[in-house]
Amino acid sequence: MRVSDRSKALGNWGEQKALMLLTRAGFQLVRDLNAEVANHPFADVFAARGPEKYIVGVRTRNKNTAAGPLNSPYNVCTKGVDLSWLQSRYDAHLACLALQVDVEAQLFSAFFATLAQVNESGIRYSIPMTAKATVSYECLARSEHDPSIRLEWTNQKVLIH
């Protein structure tokens, strides 16, 4: 499977999984923004919990890089991009949901945070995904098994004998 096809398939799985995870975590009015506007800018999901509303960018990645170490951080968008119009349009906080996927074990973890929480200095908004960083996020899933995770989404080179 080509890298772009693999990444797209993994991303599509993550966006669908995000809808279920947010609902399970007590969010309401959860809806897929990409179903309303193809390739919605920044956000993939709208959700509310209590009086707070969120537009959520979903980022799904293999937990480890192809070289082996932890894949961190996940880029959300380039700093300097003005997303205030989105906040105003939806009257909502900007947030992200990061899914770490261990394809070979068919396991995933998921973390929710506002962009204000993950805004780091530098040129990008990025979601640090180290064990130390993720303790400050809301954990929506930790090492959950999901048989719908497909082996072809791996970024590891598979050796055939």
Side-chain angles (χ1 to χ4, degrees):
M1 180 177 265
R2 292 183 337 194
V3 171
S4 61
D5 293 338
R6 177 185 60 78
S7 296
K8 180 122 180 95
L10 182 62
N12 289 339
W13 173 87
E15 289 174 14
Q16 292 307 303
K17 184 61 71 176
L19 299 170
M20 183 278 298
L21 291 168
L22 290 165
T23 301
R24 185 175 80 181
F27 288 82
Q28 298 150 345
L29 306 174
V30 177
R31 67 181 198 262
D32 181 355
L33 294 176
N34 291 315
E36 298 170 19
V37 176
N39 294 315
H40 192 282
F42 170 74
D44 301 296
V45 176
F46 176 89
R49 186 160 57 184
E52 303 297 328
K53 295 181 276 184
Y54 303 92
I55 48 174
V56 184
V58 178
R59 301 299 179 260
T60 309
R61 305 285 186 273
N62 280 270
K63 183 175 181 176
N64 296 95
T65 68
L70 182 68
N71 187 4
S72 178
Y74 301 176
N75 293 328
V76 177
C77 68
T78 303
K79 266 195 178 174
V81 172
D82 183 12
L83 298 173
S84 62
W85 68 274
L86 271 175
Q87 285 182 282
S88 296
R89 178 178 175 193
Y90 290 96
D91 187 28
H93 300 285
L94 299 172
C96 52
L97 179 59
L99 289 99
Q100 286 181 321
V101 181
D102 179 343
V103 171
E104 292 74 19
Q106 291 185 307
L107 299 174
F108 74 96
S109 296
F111 302 93
F112 174 84
T114 65
L115 250 53
Q117 285 178 275
V118 299
N119 186 5
E120 293 187 337
S121 59
I123 62 166
R124 296 187 180 271
Y125 286 109
S126 59
I127 311 164
M129 294 302 292
T130 63
K132 181 179 176 182
T134 59
V135 296
S136 66
Y137 311 149
E138 181 178 350
C139 182
L140 303 185
R142 185 172 307 280
S143 297
E144 285 191 22
H145 181 260
D146 187 330
S148 70
I149 297 171
R150 303 186 52 141
L151 186 57
E152 62 259 22
W153 298 342
T154 187
N155 59 359
Q156 305 297 311
K157 291 188 176 165
V158 179
L159 300 176
I160 300 173
H161 296 278

